[in-house]
Amino acid sequence: MKTLTTAKAKARLGAPSDSVLRTGKPVHFTRGGRILEIREKPMIEPFDFPTVGDMPVGNVAAELDRLAYVARPENANL
C-alpha cells in the first residue's frame, strides 16, 4: 500500500472533494481500468431511546415471568 502525506493527499484530492461537498454529487474517476467514486458519507443521527434489551419490563411480562418461575418443577414447594 502506498501512503501519502496529508499535504500530498490534499493537493491531489482536495479539488474533487471540494466539488463533492459543493454540489452534493459524487465524483467518478478511473484507475487501472476500474471506476472509483468520491462522495459524502451521510451522518446517522443517534437514537434517543434505549435498545430492546434495556427497556423496562411491562407489568404483564413481569407477571408471566413470575408464573413461569413458579411453574418450574425445581421451584415447586413440596
Side-chain angles (χ1 to χ4, degrees):
M1 178 174 74
K2 183 179 177 182
T3 59
L4 294 174
T5 64
T6 304
K8 286 183 181 180
K10 186 176 180 183
R12 293 182 183 182
L13 297 174
S17 298
D18 290 341
S19 173
V20 169
L21 294 174
R22 186 174 55 256
T23 64
K25 295 179 182 178
V27 172
H28 298 94
F29 58 98
T30 59
R31 176 83 175 180
R34 298 169 84 178
I35 299 174
L36 298 137
E37 177 180 76
I38 298 175
R39 67 173 143 162
E40 184 176 5
K41 182 178 184 211
M43 299 302 289
I44 299 173
E45 296 293 325
F47 295 107
D48 291 338
F49 53 88
T51 59
V52 174
D54 292 339
M55 293 181 144
V57 178
N59 293 338
V60 174
E63 181 62 18
L64 288 173
D65 189 50
R66 187 190 69 75
L67 290 172
Y69 179 79
V70 171
R72 291 185 189 119
E74 64 270 14
N75 298 327
N77 294 330
L78 297 177

